[in-house]
Amino acid sequence: AQSVSQHNHHVILSEAASLELGCNYSYGGTVNLFWYVQYPGQHLQLLLKYFSGDPLVKGIKGFEAEFIKSKFSFNLRKPSVQWSDTAEYFCAVTPYNTDKLIFGTGTRLQVFP
Amino acid sequence: DTGVSQDPRHKITKRGQNVTFRCDPISEHNRLYWYRQTLGQGPEFLTYFQNEAQLEKSRLLSDRFSAERPKGSFSTLEIQRTEQGDSAMYLCASSLGDSNNEKLFFGSGTQLSVL
């Protein structure tokens, strides 16, 4: 079945540690890729997206993600996390021939000072 | 606040009752989406509108679910004869544009509890 997989369900880090959250998708064709974030008590908001061009995309708050087509992956990275990055992170995919955004199960990130 | 607004924030109902949720998208956003999210899962697509036209419905959306967007502005999602399995957060999102790579703006959701 077509799906989006986030293998890390819960990640705990200390401030200044580096972050990488995995995301893999199973769609064979062209896709648009997104990372959304939900901070505690807030609504979902876009962190970054990729639809064409440079496979390394930069988003808000120092986040970046790299699209590796051969691996069907779109991992999220940040070199040095802050306490304020504590949130739930969702990878999402829109297959080229549809308009619906398909989400992974999310990764809960906790950053301790 | 000019974001996406949803009403009510919380709804508790008894099994078998009908419920209706409302979503007001960002003004002039032509697309409106409904998602459902349960604990520990990501949002699941239910349906979306482009202006007043409902263009896609998920197979998750049984006959008990119906959504409308009259006049292409606000939208309502109705669930008839609610079941305990309908308990979830119902999210609305809107976007501007005609491509499938547009940013979605989400509301805070309506938390439904079916007793």
Side-chain angles (χ1 to χ4, degrees):
Chain A
Q2 298 177 323
S3 66
V4 179
S5 300
Q6 292 183 244
H7 307 294
N8 315 103
H9 297 292
H10 189 190
V11 174
I12 302 173
L13 294 173
S14 299
E15 276 192 319
S18 64
L19 171 72
E20 181 160 2
L21 301 182
C23 173
N24 290 90
Y25 61 93
S26 63
Y27 303 93
T30 304
V31 294
N32 301 311
L33 297 154
F34 305 79
W35 277 96
Y36 278 80
V37 61
Q38 187 166 24
Y39 297 103
Q42 297 188 26
H43 52 264
L44 276 162
Q45 56 188 284
L46 181 69
L47 201 53
L48 50 77
K49 68 177 182 179
Y50 169 82
F51 59 95
S52 68
D54 189 342
L56 184 63
V57 292
K58 296 190 183 298
I60 60 172
K61 303 187 180 185
F63 285 90
E64 65 179 30
E66 184 175 14
F67 170 49
I68 303 179
K69 189 174 182 179
S70 61
K71 295 184 177 180
F72 298 89
S73 70
F74 190 55
N75 292 354
L76 181 71
R77 299 194 293 248
K78 185 171 183 178
S80 176
V81 294
Q82 301 174 316
W83 176 78
S84 58
D85 292 326
T86 293
E88 186 139 23
Y89 293 81
F90 293 94
C91 181
V93 171
T94 301
Y96 186 71
N97 61 348
T98 78
D99 292 309
K100 62 184 182 185
L101 193 59
I102 300 165
F103 285 86
T105 53
T107 296
R108 182 179 170 213
L109 172 66
Q110 281 185 291
V111 180
F112 289 95
Chain B
D1 187 341
T2 56
V4 177
S5 62
Q6 293 188 243
D7 184 69
R9 293 293 302 274
H10 304 275
K11 179 69 177 178
I12 299 173
T13 191
K14 292 183 179 178
R15 190 176 54 187
Q17 298 294 306
N18 298 345
V19 294
T20 300
F21 311 140
R22 177 181 170 120
C23 171
D24 287 89
I26 293 173
S27 179
E28 298 179 357
H29 276 195
N30 56 331
R31 288 189 170 185
L32 186 148
Y33 299 78
W34 285 100
Y35 282 81
R36 178 173 66 187
Q37 186 176 19
T38 53
L39 204 61
Q41 300 296 316
E44 293 176 294
F45 171 83
L46 294 179
T47 188
Y48 94 96
F49 295 83
Q50 178 146 325
N51 300 313
E52 65 276 6
Q54 188 173 18
L55 295 188
E56 190 168 351
K57 288 173 62 172
S58 167
R59 283 171 287 183
L60 293 173
L61 218 61
S62 76
D63 292 343
R64 296 185 297 104
F65 288 71
S66 62
E68 295 182 339
R69 193 184 182 196
K71 303 179 184 178
S73 55
F74 72 92
S75 175
T76 57
L77 177 68
E78 181 183 18
I79 309 174
Q80 296 182 325
R81 305 181 303 282
T82 53
E83 301 173 356
Q84 288 185 324
D86 298 331
S87 295
M89 175 73 82
Y90 289 83
L91 297 169
C92 177
S94 69
S95 68
L96 179 64
D98 296 326
S99 68
N100 63 356
N101 60 35
E102 302 294 344
K103 171 181 176 181
L104 296 190
F105 292 80
F106 282 84
S108 298
T110 294
Q111 181 68 54
L112 172 66
S113 298
V114 181
L115 305 178

